[in-house]
Amino acid sequence: MLIVKDVIKKFKDKTVLKGVSFEIKGQEIVAILGRSGGGKTTLLRCINGLETNEQGTIQIGSDFMTKEENGKMIYANKQQKRAFRKQMGLVFQNYNLFPHLSVLENIIEAPVYAFGVSKDVAIQKARKLLEILDLADKENEYPFQLSGGQKQRVAIARACALDPKILCLDEPTSALDPELTGTIAQTIRVLSEMEQCAVVLVTHDIPFVERIAERVIFLVEGEIAVDCSKDEFFQSTDKRIRSFISTMNIS
Amino acid sequence: MFDYLTTILPTFLGGLKTTIFYFIMTLIFAIPIGIVSALIKAKRIPVFTQLIGLYIMIMRGTPLLLQILFVYIGLPYIGVSFEREVAAIIALSLNYGAYFAEIFRAGIVDIDKGQHEAADVLGLTPFRTFRRIILPQMVKKVLPPTANEVINLVKDTALLYVLGITELLTLAKVTSNADVSLLPYFIAGVLYFIFISLLAKLFQKAEKHFSYYE
């Protein structure tokens, strides 16, 4: 489904992604792990078109952000970008909810005003999502009235409102109380099943990955060091993995 | 005394009308000047940004009184001359446009980059993003400082006396001299106060309208 191939991203003369390739299929839950500065957030931002990669392909089916054909880079135009983005949902680390819009307005803004879904249909879908996310009584509240965990779930609902094929979450546990980590893992799993979407999470929260992920992509200095199942990852004897796990568990 | 009041009040209301006329005309031009300048500066459009920067520096760095005189008396030396009414509006608009520009620019820049990014990944068009996401948040932020400037403008119209425009304060001075009384100044003060109180009330209402979120 999502194909990422030979993606290279530079900031000035520093190469942050050095030819990253992977594929995401079906409804798998994939954790992109790595130390800070390892390029994982940049990778997520490239996939969502917030950064432009200098080389490589990022595509879902016939829709793409960037494409390399016969050694030539093709960048999506506005319409192609929108078509691609419709299939992706992104939950930002700090959520970026629109503070002046109610919970419901936050969720239906894109379907109604960017993709021409009728308001009734969009509201119906939004209410269904709010139900799953345990926010059914919050639709008329404003973001400042919500707790951190609730804001995050609104952001998840907003990202899911367009029926994405892939739901991306940037550091979903970084701003949460530890006891909420289990809840959000459960929620993400339920949502992935109901919405039939794959989930890509960028994180360095090892216990969270153990709880939720099916597959781990381990990024070291802009390259994929390991791409394997969760169990393989945690049982691995690879030095880099062992040292990463132990330092992360201490902090 | 009551008789005196009733005889001069109509004249003073005329003076207030003149003040309000220049006040409104200035806002009509200064606000768009401020918005356009702010957008150019916020988007860092080369050359234009530097020009706007220079314009703002000059407007803030010299007395408004001097600017009014410059437009009316100075510009004719290079062959550009205006009627005094037009010169007054030009000078006030350019001056206030510069102050508005800085206020609005701060309002735009102050909005988190994440708001743009969220709108972007959701597929909203740039126009929809500005109108629905950025603008309402910006208006909320700039309302209090804008209110300050707008109230200053009411009082700054008094500087138009240098062009011989009989706005409220000039009228008070003339009447005071003729009638050998301080009462005209007092009346002018009360009229300014009432008008500015109404403006303040209006801004308060606007701020309240936006206070439903944080």
Side-chain angles (χ1 to χ4, degrees):
Chain A
M1 192 168 46
L2 172 69
I3 297 171
V4 174
K5 197 163 166 267
D6 303 327
V7 167
I8 294 179
K9 169 71 194 166
K10 293 174 190 163
F11 287 117
K12 290 190 181 143
D13 45 0
K14 189 171 183 283
T15 309
V16 183
L17 298 175
K18 302 169 183 164
V20 170
S21 305
F22 61 89
E23 252 183 75
I24 297 209
K25 291 182 185 133
Q27 297 165 39
E28 59 181 343
I29 299 180
V30 184
I32 300 178
L33 267 176
R35 291 181 201 278
S36 29
K40 53 193 194 310
T41 293
T42 304
L43 177 59
L44 195 72
R45 289 174 63 85
C46 283
I47 296 172
N48 283 280
L50 292 173
E51 304 287 352
T52 310
N53 41 299
E54 278 78 25
Q55 282 176 54
T57 298
I58 295 172
Q59 71 177 84
I60 299 179
S62 58
D63 297 314
F64 66 97
M65 264 303 166
T66 64
K67 214 159 48 165
E68 218 172 339
E69 270 178 6
N70 309 323
K72 243 182 73 187
M73 278 301 285
I74 305 170
Y75 291 97
N77 63 29
K78 272 184 201 158
Q79 273 80 34
Q80 291 165 326
K81 260 190 185 174
R82 275 159 54 82
F84 182 89
R85 281 189 162 138
K86 192 173 177 310
Q87 321 205 39
M88 304 288 293
L90 173 62
V91 178
F92 291 87
Q93 184 172 4
N94 53 0
Y95 320 137
N96 289 336
L97 296 176
F98 304 130
H100 60 305
L101 302 185
S102 72
V103 166
L104 192 67
E105 287 169 333
N106 260 284
I107 299 171
I108 66 170
E109 176 67 25
V112 175
Y113 298 102
F115 294 99
V117 176
S118 87
K119 212 167 173 177
D120 291 340
V121 173
I123 290 176
Q124 225 172 6
K125 165 89 185 172
R127 292 209 169 115
K128 198 183 116 203
L129 285 165
L130 289 173
E131 184 98 15
I132 301 167
L133 293 162
D134 197 22
L135 291 165
D137 54 340
K138 303 284 185 208
E139 67 171 58
N140 292 319
E141 308 242 320
Y142 287 88
F144 80 96
Q145 296 168 302
L146 306 175
S147 72
Q150 289 168 335
K151 277 185 209 165
Q152 181 177 53
R153 280 177 278 142
V154 174
I156 292 174
R158 185 173 72 175
C160 287
L162 291 164
D163 300 312
K165 293 206 173 96
I166 296 175
L167 176 63
C168 303
L169 298 103
D170 190 9
E171 302 278 7
T173 59
S174 65
L176 288 186
D177 292 336
E179 67 262 31
L180 281 177
T181 308
T183 324
I184 197 66
Q186 181 62 25
T187 308
I188 290 171
R189 219 179 264 162
V190 169
L191 211 62
S192 151
E193 222 157 274
M194 297 216 29
E195 297 292 309
Q196 308 197 323
C197 61
V199 176
V200 175
L201 0 111
V202 159
T203 183
H204 50 246
D205 184 338
I206 298 284
F208 181 62
V209 172
E210 272 186 292
R211 205 170 228 148
I212 187 172
E214 293 158 4
R215 174 179 154 200
V216 174
I217 293 175
F218 184 44
L219 221 54
V220 177
E221 284 167 22
E223 281 173 285
I224 294 183
V226 180
D227 180 351
C228 61
S229 77
K230 175 182 74 179
D231 295 337
E232 280 173 82
F233 181 79
F234 284 104
Q235 284 152 21
S236 167
T237 51
D238 185 312
K239 249 200 206 136
R240 287 173 305 182
I241 296 177
R242 298 275 28 123
S243 97
F244 176 75
I245 292 176
S246 59
T247 47
M248 285 301 149
N249 270 337
I250 289 163
S251 65
Chain B
M1 163 142 153
F2 187 72
D3 284 348
Y4 180 64
L5 266 181
T6 45
T7 39
I8 64 166
L9 202 58
T11 330
F12 271 72
L13 288 180
L16 181 63
K17 227 170 95 183
T18 309
T19 292
I20 294 177
F21 169 76
Y22 286 102
F23 168 76
I24 291 174
M25 290 308 280
T26 302
L27 285 185
I28 288 176
F29 292 106
I31 290 175
I33 290 174
I35 293 176
V36 172
S37 307
L39 282 174
I40 288 172
K41 263 194 108 177
K43 299 257 178 243
R44 299 213 185 92
I45 301 169
V47 186
F48 286 95
T49 304
Q50 281 76 26
L51 286 176
I52 298 285
L54 185 66
Y55 152 65
I56 292 174
M57 238 164 79
I58 291 171
M59 289 297 140
R60 295 206 299 186
T62 57
L64 175 54
L65 191 66
L66 196 65
Q67 294 163 15
I68 296 171
L69 285 172
F70 177 77
V71 174
Y72 188 55
I73 303 169
L75 285 183
Y77 282 100
I78 53 166
V80 190
S81 51
F82 303 102
E83 303 278 320
R84 75 180 81 200
E85 292 79 9
V86 180
I89 294 167
I90 291 176
L92 282 174
S93 301
L94 285 177
N95 181 277
Y96 271 81
Y99 282 95
F100 284 142
E102 281 299 278
I103 293 174
F104 297 162
R105 183 191 61 83
I108 296 172
V109 173
D110 207 32
I111 289 168
D112 191 56
K113 196 170 116 240
Q115 294 287 306
H116 285 278
E117 291 188 345
D120 198 17
V121 293
L122 286 170
L124 299 182
T125 61
F127 179 72
R128 179 83 190 165
T129 303
F130 183 72
R131 210 186 67 66
R132 172 77 162 165
I133 308 299
I134 306 302
L135 192 63
Q137 295 187 60
M138 181 193 119
V139 171
K140 179 182 165 102
K141 277 180 208 276
V142 304
L143 264 178
T146 304
N148 266 338
E149 281 309 312
V150 167
I151 285 169
N152 274 337
L153 173 60
V154 178
K155 293 177 282 187
D156 274 349
T157 54
L159 293 174
L160 297 181
Y161 80 89
V162 287
L163 302 188
I165 291 170
T166 28
E167 41 62 56
L168 192 50
L169 198 60
T170 311
L171 193 69
K173 196 177 159 198
V174 172
T175 319
S176 168
N177 286 344
D179 299 352
V180 200
S181 161
L182 287 177
L183 198 61
Y185 281 119
F186 181 73
I187 298 168
V190 170
L191 289 178
Y192 274 117
F193 184 79
I194 293 173
F195 180 55
I196 288 173
S197 301
L198 288 176
L199 276 180
K201 194 102 207 146
L202 209 71
F203 271 100
Q204 223 175 35
K205 267 205 158 143
E207 276 178 45
K208 206 165 164 200
H209 171 76
F210 283 102
S211 67
Y212 68 89
Y213 74 94
E214 278 167 21

